[in-house]
Amino acid sequence: MQQTLDADIATIAKISAVPTILEAVAELTGLGFVGIARVTPTSWHACAVLDKLGYGLEPGSELDISTTLCQEVQHTRCAVIIDSVSESEQYRDHHTPRIYGFESYFSIPLYRPSGEYFGSLCGLHREKAELNKTATRNTLMLFADLISRQLASEVVLDEAQAALSDEMKTAKLREQFIAMLGHDIRTPLSTIMNGTEILRLRAPESLKPLLDTMHRSSHRIASLIDDVTDFTRGRMGGGISLNLLHESHLETSLQQAIAELQSVFPQRQIVAELPQGIALFCDAPRLVQLLSNLLKNAIIHGSPAAPVQVEVQQANGMFELSVRNSGPAIPEEKQAQLFKPFWRSDNATGGQGLGLGLFIASEIAISHGGVLEVISTDDATTFTYRARIAGPVQA
């Protein structure tokens, strides 16, 4: 019960308009006490109070429900509005005005979104007040309706926030599970990959096409695991991990990535312009992963009639790695989506991965303090990784 009461008081406290409403009611009516009460069949508690009469009530204060007129409002669901107790045949001998010493009084019911009675907007004064004037009465009713509507809005907001919190917890657990699963899968997958390599060396020629397929499939699974692991690590706040080293011949690692993709897609031509002695302070395996992701994207989405071009430039303290493919231009509205996780083009097929390649490439670029950009025209689409060279590297 106390927990529910505390929640109701907190709900009223979160309605930013309540203090203004109480001030407006006091100004409109001239009453010295205005408040919002939470009323149940057995209790009366103050939720918000404007007390200029010194009753000493504050949010959470309790009154004996039997001493209040709010109990009557709860039973009848009708407002009680009294200009003058002493002039009222119904209330001049009532015990409540005698207990609290008021002459004028109002109590208007408030409701929850479900229609359940919540409590009342109430006010009182030791002197007579003209509360039953049409304009005054209608305004008081309007304020009560406004508070009831705000109660509904707060309930909806609380439910939405609770649902969002639950979803965020579920998402975090799901990402933790995926990260653990990816880690646990690596061990049996490594066994399969090693076994396949051994069989490829010893198996007869008739089995080699099958073993080559198994080899490519196992490496594809490993690549998917790497993508999911990198994604979940980024989502859980770890970002893309780097092992930065001074590389003096980065072109060797980049050329290996190109050769691997060429073997997977032998029907596609890849033309690379890599200068010798590329010196860079970087995580070479991660830049290889970035290039590999960009190459796979270019091969899948580019025109088979034209080669995919890879180019590296170092000038004016900047390192640039670009991958270019021919094909239809990417619409501008889609370019903004390219680096988001799980985004795939409308014509994507089931064999094109999880839609994490460009996202991870972008995260690798960001982790290196660089940027990954795309320029797409009717002639070609070019992805360019650009980063500042972090000082000279000793060969």
Side-chain angles (χ1 to χ4, degrees):
M1 176 64 184
Q2 184 61 43
Q3 186 175 4
T4 302
L5 173 63
D6 291 342
D8 289 338
I9 294 174
T11 298
I12 294 297
K14 286 190 291 186
I15 301 176
S16 59
V18 162
T20 303
I21 291 175
L22 298 186
E23 289 282 359
V25 170
E27 184 68 24
L28 171 72
T29 61
L31 302 186
F33 179 93
V34 183
I36 296 174
R38 173 70 178 101
V39 183
T40 73
T42 59
S43 67
W44 186 103
H45 288 86
C47 293
V49 174
L50 176 61
D51 183 8
K52 300 178 181 179
L53 301 180
Y55 280 103
L57 294 179
E58 56 186 26
S61 296
E62 182 177 6
L63 297 178
D64 183 347
I65 184 66
S66 65
T67 68
T68 72
L69 289 178
C70 289
Q71 186 178 43
E72 178 180 331
V73 174
Q74 181 187 24
H75 290 320
T76 64
R77 298 295 197 270
C78 294
V80 172
I81 302 178
I82 309 169
D83 289 349
S84 173
V85 170
S86 60
E87 297 175 6
S88 170
E89 293 184 4
Q90 183 177 358
Y91 295 105
R92 66 165 60 110
D93 297 322
H94 199 284
H95 63 278
T96 297
R98 291 200 305 269
I99 292 173
Y100 296 107
F102 61 78
E103 178 67 15
S104 53
Y105 174 89
F106 78 87
S107 179
I108 302 173
L110 304 174
Y111 297 97
R112 296 184 187 275
S114 62
E116 176 190 357
Y117 179 78
F118 175 87
S120 64
L121 172 64
C122 53
L124 56 87
H125 199 64
R126 297 191 178 103
E127 299 174 359
K128 178 180 177 180
E130 295 182 343
L131 304 179
N132 274 298
K133 280 185 175 181
T134 301
T136 303
R137 185 185 183 92
N138 289 345
T139 303
L140 291 175
M141 293 293 187
L142 182 63
F143 278 132
D145 181 64
L146 177 59
I147 294 171
S148 293
R149 291 176 182 272
Q150 287 296 311
L151 274 172
S153 297
E154 288 298 328
V155 168
V156 171
L157 179 60
D158 287 344
E159 290 176 349
Q161 289 177 335
L164 178 60
S165 178
D166 289 343
E167 181 58 31
M168 290 176 66
K169 291 177 182 177
T170 301
K172 185 174 182 179
L173 288 173
R174 182 168 56 245
E175 289 165 358
Q176 290 174 339
F177 170 77
I178 292 173
M180 293 173 61
L181 182 63
H183 180 270
D184 291 343
I185 287 177
R186 289 181 188 277
T187 299
L189 180 61
S190 296
T191 302
I192 293 172
M193 294 173 70
N194 291 334
T196 302
E197 288 293 338
I198 294 173
L199 289 174
R200 290 176 72 196
L201 295 174
R202 300 181 179 181
E205 289 295 326
S206 60
L207 291 179
K208 285 191 175 181
L210 173 61
L211 292 172
D212 287 342
T213 300
M214 294 174 61
H215 171 77
R216 289 192 296 270
S217 295
S218 61
H219 277 274
R220 175 168 169 74
I221 293 172
S223 177
L224 290 173
I225 292 173
D226 288 341
D227 284 350
V228 170
T229 302
D230 285 338
F231 171 71
T232 54
R233 184 184 294 115
R235 294 282 290 180
M236 293 167 64
I240 296 292
S241 59
L242 297 181
N243 180 25
L244 298 172
L245 297 172
H246 291 290
E247 299 289 339
S248 57
H249 293 281
L250 183 61
E251 71 278 3
T252 301
S253 298
L254 298 179
Q255 190 61 58
Q256 289 175 353
I258 295 171
E260 288 179 5
L261 266 295
Q262 187 70 80
S263 67
V264 176
F265 300 95
Q267 74 282 8
R268 296 300 302 275
Q269 182 182 6
I270 303 175
V271 177
E273 295 183 16
L274 306 180
Q276 297 298 307
I278 299 177
L280 198 66
F281 183 64
C282 65
D283 185 326
R286 285 297 189 184
L287 287 189
V288 167
Q289 183 182 8
L290 179 149
L291 173 59
S292 180
N293 287 357
L294 294 182
L295 272 175
K296 281 187 282 188
N297 179 77
I299 291 171
I300 290 171
H301 297 287
S303 171
V308 175
Q309 298 176 311
V310 180
E311 183 178 0
V312 170
Q313 293 184 356
Q314 284 182 295
N316 301 320
M318 298 296 295
F319 172 85
E320 289 188 2
L321 184 156
S322 62
V323 176
R324 181 182 297 104
N325 64 267
S326 298
I330 303 172
E332 288 188 12
E333 64 272 14
K334 291 186 177 181
Q335 291 183 29
Q337 309 296 320
L338 291 175
F339 302 117
K340 293 183 178 180
F342 301 114
W343 187 88
R344 301 172 71 182
S345 65
D346 296 335
N347 60 350
T349 63
Q352 294 182 9
L354 300 172
L356 291 173
L358 292 179
F359 168 75
I360 292 173
S362 178
E363 291 296 302
I364 292 172
I366 293 171
S367 294
H368 278 85
V371 64
L372 183 60
E373 300 173 331
V374 60
I375 296 176
S376 187
T377 66
D378 292 335
D379 297 325
T381 294
T382 304
F383 287 87
T384 301
Y385 163 66
R386 185 178 295 105
R388 188 169 297 280
I389 298 174
V393 178
Q394 300 298 324

